[in-house]
Amino acid sequence: MNTGNKYAELLERWFNANESEQDIQQLYEQLKDEELLPDLIDALEARYVQSDNQPYDYAKTSLIMKAIHEYEAVKEEKTVDSGRGNLRYIRKWGWVAAAIVLIVSIGSYQLTTKITGNQPYHLAPLGVDIAPGKNGAVLTLADGSQVVLDSLGNGVVANQNGAQVQLNNDELAYSLVGKSSSDVVYNVISTPNGRQFNVVLPDGTKVWLNAASALRFPTGFTGHERKVELTGEAYFEVAQNEKLPFKVIVNDKAVIEVLGTHFNVNGYENEQLLSTTLLEGRVRVHSMKDLNGSRNNGVILQPGQQANINQNLSAAITVINNANVDRAVAWKNGLFNFEGATLGEMMKQLERWYDITVRYEGTIPEREFQGKLPRNLHLSQVLRILDEMGIKTRLEGKVLIIE
């Protein structure tokens, strides 16, 4: 029996009414004697994240947290003097408790619970608060006029050069209904902070836009290629058409060539890396600097790979095999995925989704996080979870200060 299954069975016995003192002792001893914390996290995630039917048990989950804290104290005491490599290990796994807080919060944030300590408190939003982001966008038509999609009901929004633009359940779709002129007409759909939206392009390609993003595209694809321009982050499901290759221009720094595929592009200009993560099919990624040199064919990605371009330093493309695909597309699936994220990276996501500004008092703490959170939490709920992990904050208007 593998350790993951052993933990899963132990947890089920523990969370059921017939758990025994022997089961609890077994868990404690395993935590203290074996480095099996990743398996415990997997088992908890399977219980709270992958199943919608499991009730959250504050008291018993708190015992798990206590066991982890005890394990970490023993582990750090044994290895604190054994070299820098082990210190890095401790700093990483010292945040395993934070992972449990994040994972368990998915199953508990609607309940009156506290993950650790003796007194439960409400995770419901209290006092002055900021609601999570929602569906919404601004459509800029060819004549420069703008349509705020948040406030519109279903129906025809506009007609653009032979294309009918229709809004249906928070998705904007373009369909050719008439004869278009020879001139190419462009529209732009943009999402401010705190908004996300979906659009179906005239060729049937589906695009999900994350917050603080914009997509410029023609109302009808002509010529020998389909070309769109992106700033920010988007997930693409490209309609296959071998005669018309699909290209995404990102920040004038990269070009992604596609035939038919599913991929995510993170091209926020305030991020160091411009990342393309492939889920299905094949894409070729070019650095714009290399293209201008006209001698580079870019790199071809296979599913599960990620191409990174440093937006500040060079045109070199770094390919990561076995990339964390779940983390790349978590936003599309309604989650924050903070696996391996620094505090600074986490705060950038919160800034865009809650439309806030983050300010630090002093230097940014060098901490690495694990775990996931639903994006429909109010900001106060996220801040309470951060408080559990020792991250002290205060909210002044729309400025979040990290103390």
Side-chain angles (χ1 to χ4, degrees):
M1 180 185 300
N2 64 49
T3 56
N5 288 338
K6 182 165 59 179
Y7 265 126
E9 292 180 8
L10 178 61
L11 283 173
E12 287 311 306
R13 291 201 307 273
W14 197 14
F15 277 102
N16 289 334
N18 297 324
E19 81 281 356
S20 67
E21 290 296 330
Q22 183 179 0
D23 292 330
I24 297 176
Q25 187 62 34
Q26 182 182 356
L27 179 66
Y28 269 57
E29 293 305 318
Q30 285 183 336
L31 281 173
K32 292 176 181 178
D33 294 341
E34 303 177 38
E35 295 177 356
L36 295 178
L37 292 178
D39 297 307
L40 176 59
I41 291 174
D42 290 342
L44 278 174
E45 184 174 11
R47 181 179 179 84
Y48 285 120
V49 180
Q50 299 172 10
S51 173
D52 297 328
N53 301 317
Q54 292 289 356
Y56 175 74
D57 190 312
Y58 157 70
K60 293 172 185 175
T61 304
S62 294
L63 287 176
I64 295 178
M65 294 294 292
K66 179 182 176 183
I68 291 175
H69 282 300
E70 289 183 4
Y71 172 89
E72 287 303 319
V74 172
K75 183 69 177 177
E76 184 163 5
E77 182 179 346
K78 289 181 178 179
T79 60
V80 70
D81 295 322
S82 59
R84 295 185 62 185
N86 281 329
L87 282 175
R88 285 195 295 269
Y89 175 86
I90 288 302
R91 291 190 183 109
K92 176 181 179 181
W93 285 109
W95 286 90
V96 170
I100 304 299
V101 172
L102 290 174
I103 290 170
V104 172
S105 69
I106 295 176
S108 67
Y109 70 90
Q110 293 179 330
L111 305 178
T112 55
T113 61
K114 182 178 180 182
I115 307 304
T116 59
N118 296 320
Q119 298 297 324
Y121 60 81
H122 290 274
L123 281 177
L126 301 173
V128 177
D129 197 9
I130 295 177
K134 61 181 181 180
N135 289 325
V138 176
L139 176 65
T140 303
L141 302 175
D143 61 2
S145 61
Q146 293 187 325
V147 181
V148 179
L149 302 176
D150 305 36
S151 56
L152 291 182
N154 292 340
V156 176
V157 173
N159 288 284
Q160 295 283 280
N161 196 25
Q164 185 178 83
V165 188
Q166 187 160 354
L167 181 64
N168 184 29
N169 296 330
D170 294 325
E171 182 176 80
L172 198 67
Y174 283 70
S175 57
L176 298 177
V177 295
K179 186 176 180 180
S180 61
S181 68
S182 58
D183 296 331
V184 179
V185 172
Y186 288 89
N187 283 183
V188 177
I189 184 168
S190 56
T191 52
N193 284 344
R195 296 292 185 270
Q196 64 182 19
F197 214 73
N198 304 345
V199 60
V200 181
L201 301 181
D203 66 334
T205 292
K206 295 183 179 181
V207 184
W208 287 255
L209 276 180
N210 202 352
S213 303
L215 185 73
R216 183 175 183 264
F217 55 93
T219 59
F221 291 107
T222 60
H224 301 292
E225 64 183 14
R226 298 167 287 168
K227 184 167 67 174
V228 301
E229 300 170 40
L230 172 70
T231 59
E233 184 168 23
Y235 178 84
F236 292 83
E237 291 186 356
V238 177
Q240 188 164 354
N241 186 339
E242 295 183 3
K243 295 181 179 179
L244 288 178
F246 193 96
K247 292 185 179 180
V248 183
I249 314 298
V250 190
N251 295 345
D252 289 328
K253 294 181 179 178
V255 179
I256 303 165
E257 295 184 44
V258 185
L259 289 178
T261 191
H262 299 182
F263 61 99
N264 190 83
V265 180
N266 185 329
Y268 288 112
E269 292 186 299
N270 66 345
E271 300 279 3
Q272 182 178 8
L273 296 179
L274 190 161
S275 300
T276 303
T277 309
L278 182 63
L279 282 79
E280 295 182 17
R282 295 175 71 203
V283 298
R284 186 191 303 270
V285 180
H286 297 271
S287 162
M288 192 67 77
K289 290 182 180 179
D290 283 344
L291 276 179
N292 292 337
S294 71
R295 293 192 303 172
N296 191 290
N297 292 322
V299 299
I300 296 178
L301 296 184
Q302 303 295 332
Q305 291 183 321
Q306 181 181 85
N308 292 322
I309 299 174
N310 191 312
Q311 300 195 83
N312 302 320
L313 298 179
S314 69
I317 301 175
T318 302
V319 176
I320 297 177
N321 297 313
N322 300 316
N324 191 335
V325 174
D326 288 341
R327 178 181 175 184
V329 300
W331 67 270
K332 173 183 171 288
N333 299 323
L335 291 173
F336 293 112
N337 186 325
F338 296 132
E339 295 175 2
T342 64
L343 181 62
E345 291 169 340
M346 180 189 296
M347 289 301 122
K348 286 180 181 178
Q349 293 190 51
L350 298 186
E351 280 185 317
R352 290 190 286 261
W353 189 234
Y354 293 98
D355 191 19
I356 58 174
T357 300
V358 174
R359 194 173 76 223
Y360 299 89
E361 291 185 343
T363 58
I364 302 176
E366 294 184 4
R367 292 171 175 171
E368 183 178 279
F369 294 81
Q370 304 290 330
K372 305 167 187 175
L373 280 177
R375 278 161 59 106
N376 63 355
L377 294 178
H378 279 66
L379 182 60
S380 64
Q381 296 169 307
V382 177
L383 298 185
R384 289 182 184 274
I385 294 169
L386 290 177
D387 182 71
E388 288 289 339
M389 297 182 287
I391 303 297
K392 304 302 179 183
T393 65
R394 68 179 189 271
L395 186 63
E396 297 181 356
K398 300 196 75 173
V399 178
L400 177 64
I401 300 169
I402 311 296
E403 299 176 353

